[in-house]
Amino acid sequence: MSEKKTVRLSVLDLAPVPQGSTPRDAFHNSLALARQAETLDFHRYWLAEHHNMTGIASAATAVLIGYLAANTQTLRLGSGGIMLPNHAPLVIAEQFGTLDALYPGRIDLGLGRAPGSDQRTMMALRRNVSGIQADTFPEDVAELIRWFDAQENDCPPVQPVPGLGSNIPVWLLGSSLYSAQLAAQMGLPFAFASHFAPDLLFQALHLYREKFKPSARLDKPYAMVCVNVVAADTERDARFLFTSMQQQFINLRRGKPGPLPAPVEKMDALWSPSEQYGVQQALSMSVVGDIDKVRQGLAALQRETQADEIMVNGQIFDPQARLRSFALAMEAARSL
């Protein structure tokens, strides 16, 4: 029988922009959530890089991390993740080296291989002008780690200032087997994006743990699983709040991303049967309900995945309802 693990609970924040509000509102809402997460002892708080999406305000991820770090005291903050193909590794090393210098011991660098945007936006980012680029992700990750792990006497010809020798924790994120295998090879912690791409979760975790090679950074596998949690005082209220995320995914699939929609009483008229199937499949790793339902869902997830950490995402239209949802999630986790 598998040993029961204590559940570490963390926050994933996409800085959602609800309909009728602004990115500035989203940043203030993120700060309120970060301060609550600090008070409730969430393990860490990550922000995700997305571009050209009017419903997500965390595009300048490092800048937003700095804003939240400056207005909290102890909360561990990081990226979930920085989409490394969009950036020169030196720029990311400098940005996160700066964050670490300002807020020592509080910064994580989670890295993703996807662009986090469409092809036209990738071109606008100017990381890849031709639209054709070899996959340099493994080499770019290795370069970052060499800088962060440099010793006092190391003087590479190009170095991040600050950042050299900072030993910033580096994570690999993924929704497929690629990053699971690379994280295992490099001896890095791994986070799986099951909150929107659940299909390969168990296969990826198995591959990561089976192939893991200890490194100077990590002596044994450390896996985090991300799940959507929408909690409210009643299951009916939680189901109502969850319709915002369902509508958001419909819009994404239609190629029409926009602000986070207001919740609705019924979804029937808003999606076709095929859209309903696709959205429900993508969001199948979601726990929606009252505190008892959330407790059961988190317990089942931890039991089935043996995750070292669970990261909670919640795209909820009303900021106060979002705060309440994360508070209920932590209350549920504490009682496992």
Side-chain angles (χ1 to χ4, degrees), residues 232-305:
D233 293 325
T234 69
E235 183 158 353
R236 183 182 182 281
D237 288 344
R239 291 286 168 192
F240 174 69
L241 296 174
F242 187 53
T243 62
S244 291
M245 194 181 305
Q246 291 173 318
Q247 293 176 79
Q248 186 179 51
F249 268 67
I250 294 172
N251 293 337
L252 283 172
R253 287 168 176 264
R254 292 174 179 172
K256 298 178 180 179
L260 184 67
V264 294
E265 290 292 343
K266 292 185 178 181
M267 288 290 298
D268 298 348
L270 299 180
W271 53 16
S272 68
S274 62
E275 287 175 330
Q276 180 179 0
Y277 176 82
V279 170
Q280 289 178 341
Q281 179 66 22
L283 298 178
S284 61
M285 295 296 289
S286 300
V287 182
V288 182
D290 60 15
I291 189 169
D292 291 332
K293 182 73 174 289
V294 172
R295 184 184 299 112
Q296 294 166 12
L298 291 177
L301 179 66
Q302 201 281 326
R303 182 175 62 250
E304 292 165 4
T305 64

Side-chain angles (χ1 to χ4, degrees), residues 190-208:
F190 174 62
F192 192 86
S194 41
H195 61 299
F196 71 87
D199 293 352
L200 295 175
L201 169 62
F202 293 99
Q203 193 175 346
L205 291 177
H206 175 75
L207 179 65
Y208 170 64

Side-chain angles (χ1 to χ4, degrees), residues 30-98:
S30 288
L31 179 56
L33 182 58
R35 285 173 166 165
Q36 175 180 273
E38 182 172 71
T39 300
L40 295 178
D41 292 327
F42 277 85
H43 193 60
R44 71 183 86 238
Y45 190 110
W46 280 2
L47 296 136
E49 176 188 349
H50 292 273
H51 298 281
N52 197 29
M53 300 182 74
T54 56
I56 296 176
S58 52
T61 314
V63 177
L64 189 50
I65 290 170
Y67 168 64
L68 300 185
N71 290 282
T72 52
Q73 300 299 318
T74 60
L75 184 64
R76 183 165 202 93
L77 290 143
S79 59
I82 289 292
M83 300 296 106
L84 196 53
N86 296 337
H87 310 280
L90 179 62
V91 172
I92 298 305
E94 291 169 341
Q95 289 177 357
F96 280 77
T98 299

Side-chain angles (χ1 to χ4, degrees), residues 1 9 14 21 33 50 53 65 79 111 167 188 202 207 210 217 227 240 272 276 307 311 316:
M1 181 177 291
L9 208 63
L14 305 186
S21 67
L33 182 58
H50 292 273
M53 300 182 74
I65 290 170
S79 59
L111 298 170
N167 199 33
L188 296 174
F202 293 99
L207 179 65
E210 183 182 62
R217 286 181 155 253
V227 60
F240 174 69
S272 68
Q276 180 179 0
M311 182 160 273
I316 297 172

